[in-house]
Amino acid sequence: MSNQEIIDLNAKYLCMTYARFPVAFVRGQGCRLWDADGKAYLDFFSSLAVMNLGQCHPAVVKAVQEQVATLTHISNLHHTVPQARLAELLCTNSFADKVFFCNSGAEANEAAIKLARKYGGDKREGRYEIVTTLGSFHGRTMATISATGQEKVRQGFAPLLEGFRYVPYDDLDAMEAAISERTIAVMIEQIQGEGGVNIPRPGYLKSLRELCDRHRLLLILDEIQVGMGRTGKLFAYEHEGITPDIITLAKALGGGIPIGAMLARGEIAESFNLGSHGSTFGGNATACAAGVAVMNTLLHAGVLENCRAMGEYFLSRLHGLKEKFSFIKEVRGKGLILGAELDREGAAIVETCLKEGLLINCTVGKVLRFLPPLIVTKAEIDEGFSIMEKVLAQQ
Ligand SMILES: Cc1ncc(COP(=O)(O)O)c(C=O)c1O
């Protein structure tokens, strides 16, 4: 099938919830993708921070192929090796004592919201309110659009779930003012991804931890976009030397196979007792086998080191672009989540880059967002920047 034939078939049968670019991909390897008409692309997007190890990483392919051919799926009424191993890897490499597995980021946040409420009911006199931030993105289910601080994702779905308050990001006074006798938790992204690659001032997270301690609140970190190595550490909270109470993961955890996870401290996780939460596919054997391969590769194959070094190089190249093009107002990034804020809409730049064979993304209209695979090389970054320079020169 050609690009156009695939696009036409989708238009006929799919709900039109996504504004898609007119390209259908059929193959990928590392940081390269090929469309149905045979054209090659360089990937600075990682399918929305999912393909952190690039397309078809051999360790993930091997693990999935072996697991799917041995024991594809077993219900959560029984035990499996991959689920136990992945839970062990996540706990022994983080603050967490316990893991709950699900299938997506929204579900991981659902689990965190439910656990916070259950814990509030069990141990904090029925507290249930969660404070989140404006510009945040936590998912598309009813609970997670209610948690999300963006009006556009909530429009048309009223009545929303009660029990959320929103405050400006990176504003501790506003956070403190929003806390009441009903508050059980604060939930934030350490870098707002969909919100425009917003990086808080140094110390924000540490102060937030202190605030939560003073008010005996849970600190929930949504690491769905920034976790799994994206910022140069396995988990983004590690940069700040703090211990969260709950974190949520998805996206890159399965190396492209759907999986989500909520990690919690033991005392809190106790509130998830028999029958209080569940998922048919949560912790699916094949997805967990992929997760084990992803974790081992991130931890032992120099990927985090590469992310840090290439992140610095990428940011220095972005600074170079800013010098050259005055319509770039600001560039920022940590590891390999980076943004360039423009004084104009970025959609046309993304479209032209695509035509030139480079995948980038634009969020909140004016922020070009870059999420290359963490295995990206200097030569690939240089190649991408030659395309960008050419495209930006036409603006
Ligand atoms: C920070 C954050 N939280 C939650 C989600 C929702 O994840 P999913 O689309 O897997 O439900 C996303 C997705 O972009 C995200 O970036």
Side-chain angles (χ1 to χ4, degrees):
M1 287 174 93
S2 68
N3 277 333
Q4 199 52 55
E5 284 166 343
I6 299 166
I7 291 162
D8 292 344
L9 197 60
N10 274 344
K12 190 164 177 200
Y13 292 113
L14 287 180
C15 285
M16 287 292 119
T17 55
Y18 302 104
R20 295 181 203 256
F21 293 95
V23 176
F25 289 108
V26 292
R27 193 161 66 83
Q29 190 62 57
C31 301
R32 302 276 163 191
L33 293 162
W34 287 267
D35 74 14
D37 298 343
K39 182 174 163 180
Y41 300 79
L42 179 61
D43 180 11
F44 279 4
F45 184 47
S46 301
S47 303
L48 254 170
V50 169
M51 305 309 291
N52 283 8
L53 298 179
Q55 289 285 339
C56 306
H57 189 283
V60 179
V61 170
K62 183 168 180 284
V64 170
Q65 281 177 341
E66 282 178 9
Q67 189 60 45
V68 82
T70 310
L71 183 75
T72 310
H73 174 78
I74 281 288
S75 88
N76 279 313
L77 301 186
H78 306 96
H79 299 268
T80 68
V81 177
Q83 199 178 112
R85 284 280 177 238
L86 182 57
E88 179 188 36
L89 274 170
L90 288 170
C91 288
T92 53
N93 287 287
S94 76
F95 72 97
D97 303 301
K98 298 281 183 184
V99 179
F100 177 85
F101 285 119
C102 48
N103 312 288
S104 67
E107 281 179 67
N109 285 336
E110 284 271 347
I113 292 164
K114 282 183 76 177
L115 179 60
R117 285 190 170 194
K118 186 78 173 26
Y119 175 79
D122 290 351
K123 304 206 175 142
R124 294 298 316 279
E125 306 89 36
R127 286 170 172 244
Y128 62 91
E129 214 165 72
I130 300 177
V131 188
T132 71
T133 58
L134 294 170
S136 59
F137 183 76
H138 298 298
R140 296 285 192 164
T141 61
M142 284 307 296
T144 55
I145 60 170
S146 304
T148 291
Q150 292 189 54
E151 189 48 40
K152 68 169 195 252
V153 309
R154 300 200 289 253
Q155 246 164 31
F157 298 108
L160 298 173
L161 190 68
E162 279 176 42
F164 293 96
R165 298 186 79 171
Y166 318 99
V167 298
Y169 191 59
D170 198 7
D171 185 339
L172 284 165
D173 293 337
M175 186 65 85
E176 183 140 32
I179 293 167
S180 74
E181 69 286 349
R182 293 182 300 277
T183 314
I184 186 63
V186 164
M187 177 164 163
I188 64 145
E189 297 159 84
Q190 292 102 304
I191 295 173
Q192 288 186 331
E194 303 304 302
V197 192
N198 300 321
I199 304 178
R201 278 164 293 190
Y204 175 57
L205 200 60
K206 220 174 193 133
S207 307
L208 214 49
R209 174 73 274 181
E210 285 161 13
L211 186 70
C212 288
D213 289 344
R214 263 203 317 282
H215 294 271
R216 293 180 55 224
L217 306 181
L218 304 181
L219 179 60
I220 304 173
L221 300 179
D222 178 338
E223 292 232 12
I224 287 159
Q225 191 158 144
V226 294
M228 303 311 294
R230 176 60 54 190
T231 65
K233 300 248 187 208
L234 184 60
F235 303 117
Y237 75 82
E238 293 173 36
H239 290 284
E240 307 286 335
I242 61 119
T243 307
D245 298 298
I246 296 175
I247 66 169
T248 52
L249 302 172
K251 290 196 184 281
L253 176 57
I257 307 297
I259 183 169
M262 184 215 51
L263 280 59
R265 288 200 296 108
E267 185 239 336
I268 299 152
E270 274 171 20
S271 285
F272 261 4
N273 47 14
L274 279 186
S276 53
H277 198 38
S279 160
T280 296
F281 279 115
N284 163 270
T286 305
C288 284
V292 169
V294 168
M295 283 290 285
N296 284 330
T297 308
L298 279 178
L299 290 168
H300 306 299
V303 180
L304 299 177
E305 293 78 359
N306 189 67
C307 173
R308 289 195 286 270
M310 290 304 110
E312 273 178 31
Y313 182 62
F314 204 114
L315 188 59
S316 73
R317 296 292 320 251
L318 281 180
H319 278 290
L321 284 188
K322 181 172 175 286
E323 294 294 297
K324 234 172 148 171
F325 301 104
S326 60
F327 58 84
I328 301 180
K329 281 169 51 187
E330 190 184 285
V331 296
R332 48 190 182 252
K334 193 166 187 75
L336 285 168
I337 173 166
L338 306 110
E341 188 167 338
L342 312 177
D343 69 2
R344 61 194 66 182
E345 294 293 310
I349 295 173
V350 175
E351 276 165 37
T352 317
C353 281
L354 188 73
K355 283 194 190 118
E356 296 292 328
L358 174 69
L359 256 79
I360 60 169
N361 166 249
C362 178
T363 185
V364 292
K366 293 183 175 172
V367 179
L368 298 180
R369 178 173 46 168
F370 309 97
L371 299 159
L374 311 185
I375 53 159
V376 72
T377 62
K378 190 164 175 286
E380 285 163 339
I381 293 175
D382 288 341
E383 186 187 328
F385 272 82
S386 334
I387 296 174
M388 275 196 282
E389 291 215 2
K390 190 170 138 194
V391 171
L392 292 175
Q394 296 162 17
Q395 290 307 300

